[in-house]
């Protein structure tokens, strides 16, 4: 069953330039516009917690995460059978993940979603294990 379908969750929309966050219902899906700069708002996920408006460092981290196409959903997709995902909260965490992305040759969006930047975390990132060798019983 879908996690967000039954808890009445709202979608969070963000304007990074104005440092504003809004909640909107899931229906009807329409274009959301920032009242300050008249630009389109960015979908930030169901579980986004906006930093204070004066906290420019935290908003720069939010801008980096959203620019890579990630959202703040603790349960990606529909929420079924998946572990909560990680998102960096400080500029130092973003800096470490950028360094890891360069060293490992991975996209920044992959390393931003990892708890430990240098080790693969999810089942999707790990290479498939080789099949077990069959024994010949003859």
């Amino acid at each position: 069953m879908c996690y967000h379908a039954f808890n009445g969750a709202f979608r969070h929309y963000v304007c990074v330039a104005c440092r504003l966050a809004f909640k909107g219902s899931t229906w009807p899906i329409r274009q959301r516009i920032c009242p300050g700069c008249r630009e389109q708002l960015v979908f930030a996920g169901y579980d986004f917690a906006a930093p204070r408006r004066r906290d420019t460092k935290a908003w720069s981290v939010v801008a980096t995460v959203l620019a890579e196409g990630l959202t703040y959903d603790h349960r990606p997709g529909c929420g079924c059978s998946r572990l909560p995902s990680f998102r960096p909260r400080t500029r130092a965490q973003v800096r470490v993940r950028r360094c890891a992305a360069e060293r490992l040759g991975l996209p920044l969006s992959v390393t931003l979603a990892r708890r430990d930047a240098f080790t693969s975390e999810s089942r999707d990132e790990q290479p498939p294990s080789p099949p077990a060798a069959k024994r010949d019983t003859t």
Side-chain angles (χ1 to χ4, degrees), residues 83-86 113-116 119-126:
L83 295 173
S85 56
F86 173 81
R114 292 179 175 177
R115 290 187 194 283
D116 185 11
T119 59
S120 60
E121 182 175 87
S122 70
R123 289 177 282 178
D124 302 332
E125 295 178 38
Q126 296 175 359

Side-chain angles (χ1 to χ4, degrees), residues 94-112 114 117-118:
V94 171
R95 198 169 28 248
V96 167
R97 279 149 183 80
R98 280 193 181 159
C99 179
E102 290 175 10
R103 286 185 187 172
L104 299 174
L106 295 172
L108 182 59
S109 60
V110 172
T111 56
L112 282 175
R114 292 179 175 177
F118 290 98

Side-chain angles (χ1 to χ4, degrees), residues 36-89:
C37 64
R38 308 304 293 167
E39 294 292 322
Q40 187 173 357
L41 296 174
V42 178
F43 174 63
Y46 290 97
D47 300 320
F48 177 71
R52 292 189 180 265
R53 200 165 176 193
R54 286 180 266 160
D55 193 358
T56 57
K57 293 178 181 180
W59 275 101
S60 68
V61 173
V62 170
T64 303
V65 170
L66 294 177
E68 289 299 318
L70 299 173
T71 59
Y72 287 88
D73 288 327
H74 290 295
R75 290 175 170 84
C78 68
C80 301
S81 71
R82 293 203 121 187
L83 295 173
S85 56
F86 173 81
R87 297 295 178 259
R89 300 184 92 184

Side-chain angles (χ1 to χ4, degrees), residues 13-22 30-43 53 59:
Y13 295 93
V14 174
C15 178
V16 178
C18 298
R19 296 192 298 256
L20 294 174
F22 302 96
R30 59 185 170 89
Q31 192 177 30
R32 307 265 192 316
I33 304 294
C34 174
C37 64
R38 308 304 293 167
E39 294 292 322
Q40 187 173 357
L41 296 174
V42 178
F43 174 63
R53 200 165 176 193
W59 275 101

Side-chain angles (χ1 to χ4, degrees), residues 1-16:
M1 303 273 40
C2 181
Y3 173 77
H4 296 294
F6 297 107
N7 70 354
F10 286 103
R11 293 175 176 236
H12 293 260
Y13 295 93
V14 174
C15 178
V16 178

